[in-house]
Amino acid sequence: MENQRSAEAKVVTLCGSTRFEAEFAQVNQRLTMEGCVVISLGMFRLPELPGYDWTIDSSNLKGRLGGVHFQKIRMADEVYIVDPGGYLGESTRREIAYAESLGKPVRYLSREGPAGCDAHL
């Protein structure tokens, strides 16, 4: 069973601003094709629900979603920051600090070229 872990794909959690939906899709596709298990954002915008006012639930919702994303970071072998042009918002900075506090490697789209996951296999 010990050798089975070395054959497992690297788990990578994507972090970054929801404004970069297209870039998230590109990075997700590339890393998946390279053999990674990719964990990404669950949504890029709030769904329109008849009769539901998201502004009333905004603070509670933001906290719940943040907690879910922190769990995704805990599940990862590595965190990959989707930051075109180096943009890092407040939430992304918190996620980076959390990942680093856990000793997770953090990579940045803006700082490197394509890097494969196959080295982990």
Side-chain angles (χ1 to χ4, degrees), residues 5 8-15 36-40 67-80 95 98-99 102-105 120:
R5 174 65 185 154
E8 291 181 4
K10 183 190 302 183
V11 177
V12 180
T13 294
L14 304 182
C15 296
C36 294
V37 173
V38 180
I39 302 172
S40 190
V68 167
H69 207 70
F70 276 17
Q71 183 172 350
K72 291 177 181 182
I73 291 169
R74 288 191 301 274
M75 294 168 63
D77 296 313
E78 175 180 283
V79 173
Y80 194 103
E95 292 163 353
Y98 184 66
L102 298 174
K104 305 283 182 176
H120 189 73

Side-chain angles (χ1 to χ4, degrees), residues 8-27:
E8 291 181 4
K10 183 190 302 183
V11 177
V12 180
T13 294
L14 304 182
C15 296
S17 173
T18 57
R19 72 177 69 177
F20 300 127
E21 184 174 1
E23 290 85 349
F24 267 84
Q26 292 169 351
V27 170

